[in-house]
Amino acid sequence: MVKRGLSLLLFLLISGLSFAQKVQLDAERWITKDLGHLYFADKKVYYNFVGNAGVKDHYAIVNDTLILSDIFRSSADNFKKQHRDDFKFLIRHIDYNRMYLKAIEPNAIKLAGTITYEFLNFKNSYDKNIKFSKLYFLSSTCFGDCPQLGIEIWPNGDYHLKAGEHAAPYKGDYTGKLSQSQLDTLNYWLKHSELKKMNDWQQGNQVVDAPNYYFAIDFVDSKKKLSINTNEPPLNIIDLINFMLSSYKNVKLTPAGNN
């Protein structure tokens, strides 16, 4: 009986590892309950562990281990050789919806600590009850050509733009209206942005030479207003920010004084 139990356990472990290696990670985004994330793209990994955020040059799954790697050259040998630092995480479980990771060696522990992280596939993040009564978005300039925008949107699609620097061909106040398709897209990103988890969210470190983004969102049937201020937005609101940044380019706008 014991032998049969051990055989079953071994089978489950082998099956789990085999399945883990078949899970497609590239182009997948994973998020924790605290809005940490992993984003796998083009063999790179963009990560945020307990506020420690960055990017690794390469990743691989070897048996039950996820290996993130820095690949670099050093002045110590006049940049002759390619060097590699690995950060190893035990995959305690992975499927298409959920992934559990734990750092298992010093490099990874410095990066992520000793806790076990539960990551959920960001595709499954959706709250159909998110409905806005007014949305205000502000983006600042940076050392480059980041557009300076003040945007207000109402549930019927009414749109107001106050354009500043780097928002050509616009400068000043304009009004317009989102199409139904654009409004549907905005509502989708609002519902897909884990906004209820943003109420107490605060950015840790400030990022140099990055535009600042500010949201003020009034919700239907609620006295609470959500305010978000960041120049290093978490993964869950990246799509929403990208929509807002490009929205003025896709709306037919009229100078406000002409209305």
Side-chain angles (χ1 to χ4, degrees):
M1 189 72 178
V2 173
K3 184 176 180 181
R4 181 180 178 186
L6 290 174
S7 298
L8 178 60
L9 177 59
L10 181 61
F11 171 77
L12 291 174
L13 287 172
I14 293 174
S15 298
L17 297 181
S18 175
F19 182 74
Q21 294 180 51
K22 291 180 181 178
V23 173
Q24 174 61 260
L25 290 181
D26 227 32
E28 291 291 346
R29 298 185 288 178
W30 304 78
I31 191 167
T32 72
K33 65 179 181 179
D34 299 316
L35 303 180
H37 67 257
L38 288 176
Y39 174 29
F40 298 85
D42 300 322
K43 288 301 179 181
K44 292 186 176 182
V45 183
Y46 302 82
Y47 64 86
N48 188 323
F49 294 107
V50 196
N52 187 4
V55 59
K56 295 301 176 191
D57 300 316
H58 188 267
Y59 79 89
I61 294 178
V62 180
N63 296 323
D64 63 349
T65 304
L66 172 66
I67 304 173
L68 312 184
S69 302
D70 282 330
I71 301 172
F72 58 95
R73 295 182 183 273
S74 171
S75 59
D77 58 9
N78 292 320
F79 306 100
K80 292 180 180 179
K81 295 182 179 180
Q82 183 171 277
H83 300 270
R84 178 182 182 128
D85 286 339
D86 288 335
F87 304 76
K88 297 180 179 180
F89 294 82
L90 174 67
I91 303 173
R92 289 191 160 173
H93 172 81
I94 187 171
D95 58 35
Y96 295 110
N97 299 310
R98 195 179 305 266
M99 174 169 54
Y100 291 90
L101 295 180
K102 181 178 176 62
I104 56 173
E105 51 78 43
N107 279 345
I109 290 172
K110 287 180 182 179
L111 194 69
T114 58
I115 66 174
T116 296
Y117 287 84
E118 178 187 15
F119 288 93
L120 302 178
N121 195 318
F122 188 54
K123 289 178 179 178
N124 299 327
S125 295
Y126 193 79
D127 186 346
K128 64 180 181 181
N129 295 316
I130 294 291
K131 298 178 181 179
F132 78 102
S133 58
K134 185 180 178 181
L135 185 155
Y136 176 70
F137 172 75
L138 177 68
S139 69
S140 75
T141 58
C142 61
F143 291 158
D145 57 357
C146 308
Q148 184 180 33
L149 308 170
I151 296 172
E152 292 177 285
I153 303 178
W154 287 263
N156 65 352
D158 284 351
Y159 184 100
H160 175 244
L161 168 70
K162 187 174 183 65
E165 299 298 321
H166 307 300
Y170 303 107
K171 185 83 170 181
D173 291 319
Y174 296 82
T175 59
K177 196 176 186 71
L178 296 180
S179 69
Q180 188 57 53
S181 175
Q182 291 168 328
L183 191 58
D184 289 344
T185 299
L186 172 60
N187 278 301
Y188 174 81
W189 290 131
L190 286 168
K191 291 173 168 55
H192 194 56
S193 296
E194 296 283 3
L195 293 181
K196 289 182 180 178
K197 294 181 180 178
M198 298 293 294
N199 284 311
D200 299 319
W201 182 86
Q202 290 185 348
Q203 180 173 311
N205 299 323
Q206 291 296 306
V207 180
V208 178
D209 188 21
N212 192 76
Y213 304 118
Y214 173 76
F215 278 101
I217 305 174
D218 293 327
F219 295 103
V220 173
D221 300 326
S222 175
K223 295 180 180 180
K224 290 184 177 180
K225 175 184 288 189
L226 175 62
S227 296
I228 304 170
N229 189 26
T230 177
N231 66 353
E232 188 179 30
L235 175 145
N236 55 293
I237 61 170
I238 290 293
D239 293 312
L240 179 58
I241 286 176
N242 287 337
F243 175 89
M244 297 302 297
L245 287 174
S246 64
S247 62
Y248 75 101
K249 300 176 182 179
N250 301 309
V251 177
K252 185 178 180 180
L253 296 172
T254 305
N258 291 355
N259 290 339

